[in-house]
Amino acid sequence: MVADHNPKSNISFAGTFVSSAFAACTAEITSIPLDTAKVRLQLQKTAVAGDGVALPKYRGMLGTVGTIAREEGLTALWKGIVPGLHRQCLFGGLRVGLYEPVKTLYVGKDFVGDVPLTKKILAALTTGALAITVANPTDLVKVRLQAEGKLPPGVPRRYSGALNAYSTIIRQEGFGALWTGIGPNVARNAIINAAELASYDQVKQTILKIPGFTDNVVTHLLAGLGAGFFAVCFGSPVDVVKSRMMGDPSYKSTLDCFVKTLKNDGPLAFYKGFIPNFGRLGTWNVVMFLTLEQAKKFVRSIESS
């Protein structure tokens, strides 16, 4: 996700796409149990029972993971992994593969020197938005599968699997329904992509100025955690709206979902699942960056031979 500073070390678009898609899929497999917990927490609404407020079913990251595993089995924590991998192959590959060409477009091909931070953020916003526009159907199916909890006996599941979900949504809701939630999803992924990029670069640059630190695994790990934290801080509100719109088709628009969430659940609802979201994105970024660095080295060695 971060550009190589040595132009001679650059690899082809195809090489970058494959490297980033592989790294993103590896990170997805590692962190999807936390992502499932995050989605359940975000979709959970304040329930009123009589004169009081009923206790929520899911409480905290570990509590949510435990409840899902106990009621639905451990494999339920990996619900949505198939469309999740579909998403990462498209979104993960495109947002990283397009970053360098888009950044060059903004600064000009003859630009010399350090690229301004504002141009990096703008390039990351652009690639994040473009990539998720293509990958939105995979995100929708992933959320739908993750949102479905334990059902009463005799009640069939909405979808038997990822491919069935794609076809069912098209048949029952129309082809355009695959882009449900596209507004908040574009906003979320553009913001998170920019937050990850800027914070990763800045944290890494700061760490490398500390005596004893070098450009190695430890530095990448710390920078990846920083990227995950800032990404959640900036992206959590739109992430909640995106999950609710994709999990509940009754919302008329992004604004309708935002207003109803604010009115019914209060402003803190936009940071529901913050800890599991950070746990997920922190883990995701660390695994993603570490794998990406190694994958790019491998591809670079092949292309240069």
Side-chain angles (χ1 to χ4, degrees):
M1 196 177 298
V2 178
D4 294 318
H5 296 289
N6 180 6
K8 293 183 179 180
S9 68
N10 286 342
I11 61 179
S12 66
F13 170 79
T16 303
F17 181 92
V18 172
S19 298
S20 56
F22 173 75
C25 286
T26 302
E28 186 76 5
I29 293 171
T30 304
S31 63
I32 199 168
L34 296 176
D35 190 47
T36 300
K38 177 209 73 173
V39 169
R40 294 289 181 88
L41 284 168
Q42 289 178 337
L43 291 177
Q44 181 169 256
K45 302 174 184 178
T46 303
V48 179
D51 296 328
V53 178
L55 291 176
K57 179 179 181 179
Y58 302 115
R59 305 187 69 179
M61 176 181 67
L62 295 181
T64 302
V65 169
T67 299
I68 295 171
R70 184 174 62 255
E71 292 188 351
E72 304 169 46
L74 282 173
T75 56
L77 292 168
W78 274 267
K79 276 185 176 179
I81 185 61
V82 173
L85 294 178
H86 294 167
R87 177 187 187 274
Q88 293 306 337
C89 284
L90 287 172
F91 178 68
L94 287 173
R95 69 166 176 161
V96 178
L98 291 173
Y99 176 70
E100 280 298 322
V102 171
K103 187 173 69 173
T104 301
L105 177 66
Y106 286 145
V107 298
K109 61 180 181 179
D110 297 324
F111 179 85
V112 178
D114 293 333
V115 176
L117 178 60
T118 53
K119 298 293 185 182
K120 292 179 180 179
I121 294 175
L122 185 59
L125 284 169
T126 303
T127 60
L130 289 173
I132 200 58
T133 298
V134 175
N136 195 81
T138 64
D139 218 6
L140 174 70
V141 170
K142 177 185 171 186
V143 170
R144 292 277 181 95
L145 290 175
Q146 288 177 317
E148 195 169 61
K150 184 179 181 181
L151 300 175
V155 178
R157 294 195 174 277
R158 295 171 69 186
Y159 314 112
S160 61
L163 295 180
N164 175 255
Y166 287 120
S167 61
T168 301
I169 291 171
I170 293 173
R171 186 175 64 255
Q172 295 182 351
E173 304 173 44
F175 185 75
L178 290 172
W179 277 267
T180 298
I182 184 64
N185 209 16
V186 166
R188 171 193 180 269
N189 284 281
I191 291 170
I192 288 179
N193 200 36
E196 285 177 346
L197 175 63
S199 59
Y200 184 85
D201 276 344
Q202 189 62 41
V203 171
K204 183 177 178 181
Q205 178 182 324
T206 302
I207 292 175
L208 290 177
K209 291 180 180 179
I210 302 174
F213 280 90
T214 58
D215 192 2
N216 57 17
V217 171
V218 175
T219 299
H220 299 156
L221 188 151
L222 294 174
L225 284 173
F229 178 75
F230 284 107
V232 176
C233 287
F234 288 104
S236 190
V238 288
D239 190 37
V240 170
V241 173
K242 180 218 71 168
S243 291
R244 291 199 171 191
M245 283 192 70
M246 289 184 168
D248 185 354
S250 65
Y251 293 113
K252 298 177 182 178
S253 65
T254 301
L255 181 60
D256 178 56
C257 182
F258 179 86
V259 171
K260 286 181 178 177
T261 300
L262 182 63
K263 180 180 178 181
N264 297 331
D265 301 321
L268 291 181
F270 293 109
Y271 284 91
K272 268 188 176 180
F274 182 89
I275 293 178
N277 204 9
F278 170 62
R280 192 260 176 182
L281 272 180
T283 301
W284 197 96
N285 274 277
V286 168
V287 175
M288 162 67 174
F289 281 116
L290 292 179
T291 307
L292 179 61
E293 297 277 0
Q294 299 306 312
K296 288 175 72 175
K297 285 182 181 178
F298 177 74
V299 172
R300 188 177 294 119
S301 66
I302 294 176
E303 292 188 346
S304 61
S305 62

